[in-house]
Amino acid sequence: MAKTDNALQNLINNNRKWADDISTKDPDFFPTLAKQQAPEYLWIGCSDSRVPANEIVGLLPGELFVHRNVANLVVHTDMNLLSVLQYAVEVLKVRHVIVCGHYACGGVKAAMQDQKLGLIDNWLLEIRDLYHHKQDYFKDISSEEEKVDKLCELNVVRQVYNLSHTSIVQDAWAKGQPLSVHGWIYGLSDGKVNDLEVTINEGSQLSELFRLKS
Ligand code: CO
């Protein structure tokens, strides 16, 4: 078996320094975390390397349960996301689910263009559909950049609704479990997160059509 390539040795070195720094400050940090995790938040974000979940909100290991995919989508048949969501809500009992998109998202941009990229075009169809359905929002915007940013926001809002419509979130609400779903957006150019103020705290905030009854 080959040893780690030298090009990656700096990553291992960084890791040692990081772990040692934390252990020096708090010798119990890793032993305590190894026994259990009790995060209060589930983060659903974009895979973009410029949007690292924990760093942005200043949280340590153990404080944020994370799922990331291209363009922070909540696709109803995505078993990966649904499994993360179920575990976070039913087992870890997180109090908040945050969908955090970001401006100038490459996935969103690609969904507005006609350039063929391959398999990922299918994934991004969710956003292309949204763009198609929400044309009214774009007719008065002339700048391409602003159009992309508008769709980035609309995409986050759509994913907040998609999450709220899942049986997992609705079951939690039906049981009286406190759970809020939030939509945030991050600015690559200033590092700031903004709340899009589309928080949903209970099933009664949803359209009748989407409310499931047992
Ligand atoms: Co992105």
Side-chain angles (χ1 to χ4, degrees):
M1 201 186 290
K3 254 194 87 183
T4 302
D5 194 292
N6 270 346
L8 295 182
Q9 190 57 46
N10 63 326
L11 300 187
I12 305 282
N13 296 346
N14 288 347
N15 163 261
R16 293 294 183 272
K17 187 178 177 314
W18 172 81
D20 289 345
D21 285 350
I22 292 179
S23 298
T24 306
K25 278 186 216 140
D26 179 2
D28 293 331
F29 184 82
F30 289 113
T32 306
L33 260 191
K35 288 188 206 120
Q36 61 155 21
Q37 62 168 337
E40 268 186 58
Y41 319 95
L42 165 61
W43 174 279
I44 296 173
C46 183
S47 298
D48 193 304
S49 64
R50 297 165 294 179
V51 196
N54 283 64
E55 283 90 336
I56 288 175
V57 286
L59 291 180
L60 289 167
E63 296 180 319
L64 195 63
F65 205 61
V66 174
H67 180 82
R68 289 168 69 181
N69 62 38
V70 171
N72 41 269
L73 294 182
V74 176
V75 176
H76 288 129
T77 49
D78 178 358
M79 290 300 288
N80 187 347
L81 178 129
L82 291 174
S83 304
V84 168
L85 180 65
Q86 191 206 348
Y87 190 76
V89 172
E90 293 182 8
V91 181
L92 298 174
K93 299 212 164 22
V94 297
R95 300 285 301 265
H96 303 275
V97 183
I98 300 158
V99 181
C100 187
H102 67 100
Y103 291 121
C105 179
V108 171
K109 226 180 271 181
M112 299 170 82
Q113 294 166 352
D114 58 7
Q115 177 69 45
K116 193 172 171 184
L117 297 174
L119 176 70
I120 196 167
D121 293 321
N122 300 287
W123 178 252
L124 297 175
L125 270 178
E126 293 281 328
I127 309 176
R128 196 178 291 275
D129 285 344
L130 183 65
Y131 186 41
H132 179 69
H133 289 302
K134 301 278 186 187
Q135 277 301 306
D136 273 1
Y137 283 84
F138 298 91
K139 59 180 193 300
D140 298 324
I141 307 176
S142 51
S143 140
E144 279 310 305
E145 214 171 291
E146 275 179 49
K147 278 187 189 174
V148 171
D149 287 350
K150 184 58 171 177
L151 190 54
C152 289
E153 291 178 353
L154 292 173
N155 181 45
V156 169
V157 177
R158 168 54 42 203
Q159 309 318 318
V160 167
Y161 280 104
N162 285 354
L163 271 171
S164 306
H165 296 160
T166 61
S167 59
I168 299 158
V169 170
Q170 295 210 32
D171 282 350
W173 284 333
K175 282 188 285 187
Q177 186 180 329
L179 182 68
S180 302
V181 184
H182 310 265
W184 289 2
I185 193 138
Y186 174 80
L188 295 176
S189 54
D190 64 3
K192 303 244 166 78
V193 155
N194 280 303
D195 185 351
L196 289 172
E197 297 179 8
V198 289
T199 298
I200 303 181
N201 303 299
E202 53 186 16
S204 60
Q205 286 175 260
L206 301 178
S207 305
E208 190 71 39
L209 184 70
F210 288 102
R211 290 188 219 163
L212 305 176
K213 295 175 190 80
S214 34

